[in-house]
Amino acid sequence: MHSQPFTPETIAALATAYPLAPRHLQHRIADHPLLQLDALAALARRLRPESIEFNAATDLPLGIRNDETPYTGLDVHQTIAQIESAGSWVLLKTIDQDPAYAQLMRDVLATIEPVVEPRTGKMMRLEGFIFISSPGAVTPLHFDPDYNILFQARGSKTMTFFPAGDTEMIPDPFFEQYFNGGPRNLSWREEWADRGQPIRVTPGEAIYVPILGPHWVKVDDEVSISLSLTWRSEWSFHHADACRFNSRLRKLGLSPSSPRGYPGGNRLKSYAQRALVRAERMLGRGTE
């Protein structure tokens, strides 16, 4: 890896967008040995089974539900070996459980701390993910609960973004069910297409992906390898707990106000949710 994964110009470009807007970036880690297909096949053998997802990924509707996603009949190792023709998508999750990948993640994210921490505070819960995708693979419309930079290492893809505050695309009850363990794939309406902002990346390019913003992804006509490095903030944890608290209120027949978007705070609802969880745990222990 180069001594610095980003140029000063790229750091400056991230600073103009973070944390609310997507931004096309440049990087210097596309040729890193850990991001080559043979290294990733070996990583898949080392990861815990729960850290791997794979399924069919071509010709999927943008609004497909998580439980409707088809499988190809191949196991993950066969899928990686046949990725050019498998019509599949492999996700290696929390790759930071592997020491070499954890070091790569820390080295890269440390370079953007001067941009991130003055705005959203300490970078928390750092995690790494790798996507290995067949030509034409589609990742349906969804959102992420964390801040994310996606680094393209092989092939090319287009990520299409929609505004994070669009409550028609993500109504409050959807956030509430997600943060209580529900799926994150969203429904799709064709009339939403014009709202999208497409950003295409090739090897050596990256995208900053804003937290909570709906997006979908389409791989071009060759195999794609992407590294996704993510982090959370105190604000993001308060937002998630406010959504969980609103879910409680909704079950009581109330219509709670939406959690506040950044930089607005959600501490009151968040602390109420955390207090209720602690009380429930104490009551649960007391009746055992």
Side-chain angles (χ1 to χ4, degrees):
M1 186 177 76
H2 292 269
S3 58
Q4 291 295 326
F6 299 114
T7 65
E9 292 78 13
T10 295
I11 297 292
L14 176 63
T16 65
Y18 186 79
L20 298 177
R23 184 54 51 101
H24 184 270
L25 305 170
Q26 307 289 326
H27 70 86
R28 295 168 164 173
I29 62 171
D31 58 354
H32 196 289
L34 293 179
L35 301 181
Q36 308 311 305
L37 191 59
D38 56 349
L40 300 178
L43 175 63
R45 296 186 185 96
R46 299 195 299 273
L47 292 178
R48 299 185 296 267
E50 62 269 24
S51 297
I52 300 173
E53 291 182 24
F54 59 101
N55 50 250
T58 54
D59 300 318
L60 296 182
L62 295 186
I64 192 170
R65 296 203 317 259
N66 298 69
D67 58 3
E68 294 176 334
T69 307
Y71 294 94
T72 62
L74 303 175
D75 66 26
V76 65
H77 307 297
Q78 294 169 326
T79 299
I80 294 174
Q82 302 174 41
I83 196 65
E84 290 195 21
S85 58
S88 296
W89 169 90
V90 175
L91 171 60
L92 306 180
K93 301 189 290 186
T94 57
I95 59 170
D96 44 286
Q97 64 192 264
D98 183 277
Y101 287 89
Q103 188 63 54
L104 173 62
M105 177 189 71
R106 289 193 295 267
D107 289 346
V108 172
L109 291 183
T111 65
I112 63 170
E113 283 182 357
V115 170
V116 169
E117 295 197 343
R119 300 188 186 182
T120 55
K122 181 177 175 59
M123 298 173 74
M124 307 165 73
R125 195 179 291 176
L126 310 184
E127 293 183 317
F129 305 83
I130 288 177
F131 300 88
I132 308 167
S133 307
S134 295
V138 171
T139 303
L141 186 69
H142 67 287
F143 74 93
D144 298 319
D146 38 36
Y147 312 89
N148 171 21
I149 297 180
L150 181 133
F151 300 80
Q152 194 67 12
R154 174 177 172 179
S156 56
K157 62 173 55 172
T158 298
M159 186 177 291
T160 300
F161 293 90
F162 300 86
D166 191 331
T167 56
E168 184 180 15
M169 297 189 77
I170 313 185
D172 286 349
F174 191 92
F175 277 130
E176 294 163 17
Q177 60 86 26
Y178 170 79
F179 286 114
N180 280 299
R184 64 175 177 172
N185 281 8
L186 299 160
S187 61
W188 173 254
R189 299 179 193 170
E190 198 57 41
E191 61 264 30
W192 292 345
D194 290 342
R195 305 182 193 180
Q197 175 189 353
I199 299 179
R200 184 173 181 267
V201 282
T202 61
E205 298 178 334
I207 304 175
Y208 166 64
V209 182
I211 189 171
L212 305 179
H215 57 278
W216 67 276
V217 185
K218 175 72 180 290
V219 173
D220 287 348
D221 56 0
E222 56 185 310
V223 169
S224 169
I225 295 175
S226 304
L227 167 68
S228 188
L229 299 181
T230 72
W231 64 96
R232 299 284 297 272
S233 69
E234 184 180 25
W235 180 91
S236 76
F237 288 120
H238 283 309
H239 175 273
D241 279 330
C243 290
R244 296 183 182 105
F245 185 74
N246 277 356
S247 177
R248 293 175 182 268
L249 298 180
R250 204 173 301 279
K251 289 176 182 176
L252 295 174
L254 303 175
S255 298
S257 60
S258 301
R260 300 176 68 189
Y262 179 86
N266 296 289
R267 291 175 182 268
L268 183 59
K269 287 182 177 180
S270 174
Y271 289 146
Q273 166 66 14
R274 296 176 191 184
L276 288 168
V277 168
R278 286 194 297 270
E280 289 165 349
R281 287 174 180 168
M282 291 177 64
L283 290 171
R285 285 197 297 270
T287 58
E288 291 177 351

